[in-house]
Amino acid sequence: MNHSQDVTRILFEGFQPQAIYLFYVLGFTSIAVFAYGVYVQIRKYRRGQPDASWGHFWTRFVDMFKTMMTHRTLKRRDKSAGRAHALIFFGFVLLFLGTATITLEYDFLEPIFGIRFWYGDFYLWFSLVLDLAGAALVGGLLYMMYRRKWLKLPKLDYQRPDRQPEDPDYDRSAYRREDWAFLWTLIIIGITGFMLEAARLVWLIDNAAIWETRWWSPVGALMAEAMLLLGFTAESAGIFRTGMWWFHGVLALSFIALIPYTKVKHIFTASASLMFRDPLAGRRLPAVPEGQEAIGVKTITDFTWKQLLHLDACTKCGRCHEACPANAVGAPLSPRDVILSLREFANNALQKNELPDEVELDVHGKDVGQVFMETLWSCRTCMACVEICPVAVEHVPIIVQMRRKLVDEGNMEPILQKTLQSIHKNGNSMGESKRKRPRWTKDLPFTIKDARKEPVDVMWFVGDYASFDPRNQVVTQSFAKLMHQAGVNFGLLYEAEMNAGNDVRRVGEEGLYEFLATANISTLEQCEFNSIVTTDPHSFNTIRNEYPDFGGQFEIQHYTTLLKQLFEQGKLKLKQKLDYRVTFHDPCHLGRYNKGYDAPRELIQLLGCELVEMDRNRDNSFCCGAGGGRIWIPDPVGLEKPSENRMREAGEIEGLDVFIVSCPKDLTMFEDALKTAGFEGKFVVKELIELVNECVEFDETVTIDAEVVSA
């Protein structure tokens, strides 16, 4: 054990009192500039609307802390960047804690209580840890520089898909300069710290307590040896140390002062964004507060303080930009650019001492910083952006809130407006009479119970496309036969069922959504059943995650889960297995929205098919393009559809027989894309229900509720 008080580092060694006073003046000035910047940012957030995310504070804090310590969100789909960021993060944190420890002893504990601990073994281990932390910091920064300069990743290109080169806010080269300034500043601070340590070692080479323990600062010691080889003497090293000390100190203090005004503030905003994240963001959209007259977001002050915080949390990593299906097919949308545009707008409008006039706060339009209507309508609300964001930015709720204002003002495609009117009038998006909803049941060799008139075990919420679309009706009838064969006591709402409202809400028509949701809930509550099943992931999502906000607490499952259970219970049996080479498309609302990845794959395996995954699968699955009401809006002529993009990805699988879907809208979108993408005849698109139906052994009679019913 080394208890020598000579084994330490004396702060301000060799400095005159005037120099020490000057440093403290600079230090307090830096803190004051930092504090004012923090005040400006907090004032900006307070100019937003209230948000109830303060609940369960400690649970949120612990979850945020775990996320930051594990870097789990940063490592996903980009492990190299995640590891490099971990080196930077932990290196920075340890160096900060080290500096804070020195300050604690020098400025508080020793002068007030006479307590000293920064010497001997503690000092040596302290030196080793901080040296390694500094090396980690520099190593991570060097990789990030390499990544930006030489890998030239498309997601780090700030070219905007929503602007033209001649637009005044097209150029975002300032962000690139800020990125490089951030990297260079931190790496210079790190390297000059090592140079300062090396110069000190050479300067004090005659002090045995310092020189003989130099390898406890391995990087500094190596650089000290290099300085000696270059001819530095103790005297010249002392002079060099003085200059380097001031350069390193002023640069570090400037870095601290500028944190609230630059990219560096993501250290705090990203942490806060993670802490206040909504685990159901996008899956459950917020209702309009009771008594609030205005609907949606028109001005920047209509956003909540948490949404304004999200704007600042964005680190411009481009993962959402890379994952967005609209951006992938050339639509004028990048989730990152929406967030950055709103951030720029918020900074220009809300950081001023006085708020501008309301007209200058409008975030919609074609002026600098505003978000184009075409950009908002390009979103498929597929949640790819929210799911991959490492700092929990909630893009979809922000976009939907802005859409609500567009819908409220009638700024939408005429065909979309007509569809919404049809839903309000007929309760479905197909423009059909309510009486036609159960017509598909007439071709069945058995009668399905009317759950409004008699109790059932399982309520089947069918959905629009499964009820009215001729191609999907075949699938719907197949599922009815499977449930009948398994002896499931199930029923329908018949013509009383209405569109579940999931896509209506994501279009932004909140009033119509609430009408549909309350009507369906009222009907369901008048029926006697144990659980709900649906073949439509869109209906599944809103009934599961959003109806509870309107008093509708129901147990619901997707059909893939129910079929899996029926096979496990022996109620469905296979008569054969299929020798198909297949791939499976994860529907957004079953997969990303509700983590329903396994049941479909287990069914496919049960059927004997060889499953070959596409590169984009599970949480990284590519959207079919139908979500967010886009199935009701025609895509621009000449623009590739997301479904066609997906077909091309499937077409790369050698010997593919079947492209499997598990959503009525997917069946519609991908059968059309099969033709337009040129793969008709090479493989087919089928609903998983159809494949199950091919394999199941159907008896001539089945038992339901102790009655024998003819099959």
Side-chain angles (χ1 to χ4, degrees), residues 595-614:
K595 311 304 178 189
Y597 303 119
D598 295 330
R601 287 172 170 80
E602 290 171 6
L603 277 177
I604 291 169
Q605 185 179 23
L606 182 70
L607 300 180
C609 298
E610 178 193 359
L611 175 63
V612 182
E613 297 282 9
M614 288 177 279

Side-chain angles (χ1 to χ4, degrees), residues 28-39:
F28 284 116
T29 301
S30 170
I31 294 171
V33 174
F34 171 85
Y36 178 75
V38 170
Y39 160 74

Side-chain angles (χ1 to χ4, degrees), residues 445-447 484 699-711:
F446 52 86
T447 300
H484 184 73
D699 297 332
E700 293 183 1
T701 60
V702 294
T703 301
I704 300 177
D705 279 353
E707 295 180 8
V708 177
V709 182
S710 173

Side-chain angles (χ1 to χ4, degrees), residues 448-469:
I448 300 179
K449 291 182 178 181
D450 187 336
R452 298 169 299 175
K453 300 176 181 178
E454 55 183 317
V456 295
D457 182 27
V458 177
M459 172 72 74
W460 180 5
F461 195 96
V462 185
D464 287 2
Y465 274 78
S467 296
F468 295 103
D469 177 64

Side-chain angles (χ1 to χ4, degrees), residues 311-507:
L311 306 183
D312 282 341
C314 175
T315 60
K316 312 188 295 293
C317 69
R319 298 191 191 197
C320 62
H321 178 87
E322 184 179 53
C324 178
N327 182 61
V329 298
L333 168 66
S334 163
R336 177 192 62 195
D337 288 320
V338 170
I339 297 302
L340 292 181
S341 290
L342 293 171
R343 175 200 286 183
E344 294 159 11
F345 197 101
N347 288 342
N348 290 334
L350 303 183
Q351 290 187 169
K352 299 174 181 177
N353 289 330
E354 298 292 334
L355 280 176
D357 294 336
E358 184 171 335
V359 69
E360 297 179 58
L361 297 173
D362 193 342
V363 293
H364 296 273
K366 296 285 188 179
D367 288 340
V368 173
Q370 292 182 315
V371 181
F372 295 175
M373 181 173 70
E374 298 86 347
T375 296
L376 296 174
W377 286 124
S378 294
C379 179
R380 269 71 180 172
T381 66
C382 69
M383 288 281 287
C385 51
V386 176
E387 191 275 336
I388 192 54
C389 181
V391 294
V393 174
E394 297 167 5
H395 315 70
V396 169
I398 287 173
I399 288 173
V400 170
Q401 287 281 33
M402 296 182 73
R403 278 183 171 183
R404 287 179 179 177
K405 179 53 63 177
L406 294 178
V407 170
D408 188 50
E409 296 178 348
N411 292 321
M412 68 184 99
E413 291 274 354
I415 191 170
L416 173 59
Q417 191 165 29
K418 184 178 179 181
T419 300
L420 294 174
Q421 290 170 348
S422 173
I423 293 173
H424 186 268
K425 178 182 178 182
N426 302 310
N428 66 79
S429 60
M430 314 297 284
E432 298 285 359
S433 166
K434 295 179 182 180
R435 293 191 301 274
K436 292 184 179 180
R437 185 176 282 276
R439 184 169 291 182
W440 61 269
T441 64
K442 297 186 181 299
D443 294 330
L444 292 172
F446 52 86
T447 300
I448 300 179
K449 291 182 178 181
D450 187 336
R452 298 169 299 175
K453 300 176 181 178
E454 55 183 317
V456 295
D457 182 27
V458 177
M459 172 72 74
W460 180 5
F461 195 96
V462 185
D464 287 2
Y465 274 78
S467 296
F468 295 103
D469 177 64
R471 174 67 179 90
N472 274 292
Q473 285 177 338
V474 176
V475 178
T476 305
Q477 290 166 346
S478 294
F479 184 59
K481 293 174 183 177
L482 288 169
M483 287 209 290
H484 184 73
Q485 171 63 31
V488 177
N489 178 18
F490 70 101
L492 311 176
L493 293 176
Y494 281 81
E495 65 272 9
E497 179 184 306
M498 301 179 76
N499 184 292
N502 183 83
D503 298 308
V504 169
R505 193 173 214 193
R506 279 147 189 82
V507 160

Side-chain angles (χ1 to χ4, degrees), residues 94-109:
L94 286 172
L95 290 168
F96 174 80
L97 291 176
T99 304
T101 300
I102 298 169
T103 304
L104 176 66
E105 179 189 290
Y106 189 84
D107 291 321
F108 296 98
L109 295 181

Side-chain angles (χ1 to χ4, degrees), residues 15-36:
F15 283 87
Q16 296 296 318
Q18 296 89 332
I20 299 173
Y21 298 150
L22 175 60
F23 179 79
Y24 274 97
V25 168
L26 293 175
F28 284 116
T29 301
S30 170
I31 294 171
V33 174
F34 171 85
Y36 178 75

Side-chain angles (χ1 to χ4, degrees), residues 395-687:
H395 315 70
V396 169
I398 287 173
I399 288 173
V400 170
Q401 287 281 33
M402 296 182 73
R403 278 183 171 183
R404 287 179 179 177
K405 179 53 63 177
L406 294 178
V407 170
D408 188 50
E409 296 178 348
N411 292 321
M412 68 184 99
E413 291 274 354
I415 191 170
L416 173 59
Q417 191 165 29
K418 184 178 179 181
T419 300
L420 294 174
Q421 290 170 348
S422 173
I423 293 173
H424 186 268
K425 178 182 178 182
N426 302 310
N428 66 79
S429 60
M430 314 297 284
E432 298 285 359
S433 166
K434 295 179 182 180
R435 293 191 301 274
K436 292 184 179 180
R437 185 176 282 276
R439 184 169 291 182
W440 61 269
T441 64
K442 297 186 181 299
D443 294 330
L444 292 172
F446 52 86
T447 300
I448 300 179
K449 291 182 178 181
D450 187 336
R452 298 169 299 175
K453 300 176 181 178
E454 55 183 317
V456 295
D457 182 27
V458 177
M459 172 72 74
W460 180 5
F461 195 96
V462 185
D464 287 2
Y465 274 78
S467 296
F468 295 103
D469 177 64
R471 174 67 179 90
N472 274 292
Q473 285 177 338
V474 176
V475 178
T476 305
Q477 290 166 346
S478 294
F479 184 59
K481 293 174 183 177
L482 288 169
M483 287 209 290
H484 184 73
Q485 171 63 31
V488 177
N489 178 18
F490 70 101
L492 311 176
L493 293 176
Y494 281 81
E495 65 272 9
E497 179 184 306
M498 301 179 76
N499 184 292
N502 183 83
D503 298 308
V504 169
R505 193 173 214 193
R506 279 147 189 82
V507 160
E509 184 32 296
E510 183 65 13
L512 177 56
Y513 171 76
E514 293 188 9
F515 165 73
L516 294 169
T518 52
N520 280 324
I521 290 169
S522 176
T523 303
L524 288 167
E525 286 180 338
Q526 293 173 36
C527 303
E528 188 177 336
F529 60 92
N530 293 322
S531 64
I532 299 174
V533 69
T534 182
T535 56
D536 177 24
H538 297 243
S539 299
F540 173 70
N541 176 72
T542 195
I543 294 172
R544 182 189 193 197
N545 295 318
E546 297 181 313
Y547 276 24
D549 286 347
F550 298 88
Q553 297 279 356
F554 307 110
E555 180 184 332
I556 184 169
Q557 58 186 334
H558 186 251
Y559 82 83
T560 51
T561 305
L562 177 60
L563 288 182
K564 176 174 168 287
Q565 292 171 352
L566 294 176
F567 276 112
E568 290 172 346
Q569 295 165 3
K571 294 181 179 179
L572 288 177
K573 298 179 181 179
L574 296 178
K575 66 179 179 181
Q576 65 174 354
K577 290 197 174 185
L578 302 175
D579 186 23
Y580 292 156
R581 186 175 172 84
V582 306
T583 194
F584 176 69
H585 169 79
D586 289 279
C588 300
H589 285 78
L590 178 62
R592 260 190 303 274
Y593 270 72
N594 289 287
K595 311 304 178 189
Y597 303 119
D598 295 330
R601 287 172 170 80
E602 290 171 6
L603 277 177
I604 291 169
Q605 185 179 23
L606 182 70
L607 300 180
C609 298
E610 178 193 359
L611 175 63
V612 182
E613 297 282 9
M614 288 177 279
D615 288 340
R616 296 175 292 190
N617 63 78
R618 291 182 175 265
D619 55 19
N620 192 32
S621 181
F622 195 70
C623 177
C624 76
R630 287 297 312 189
I631 197 168
W632 304 322
I633 306 173
D635 289 305
V637 177
L639 195 69
E640 181 187 47
K641 297 180 180 180
S643 55
E644 294 168 353
N645 184 288
R646 188 62 157 163
M647 275 292 109
R648 288 194 290 102
E649 183 179 4
E652 294 175 0
I653 300 175
E654 186 176 348
L656 183 67
D657 296 311
V658 185
F659 182 98
I660 300 178
V661 299
S662 59
C663 170
K665 291 185 177 70
D666 286 346
L667 185 62
T668 299
M669 298 297 288
F670 286 124
E671 284 204 329
D672 290 343
L674 185 70
K675 302 172 186 177
T676 56
F679 290 104
E680 193 172 19
K682 296 182 180 179
F683 57 89
V684 296
V685 176
K686 283 193 175 184
E687 238 285 358

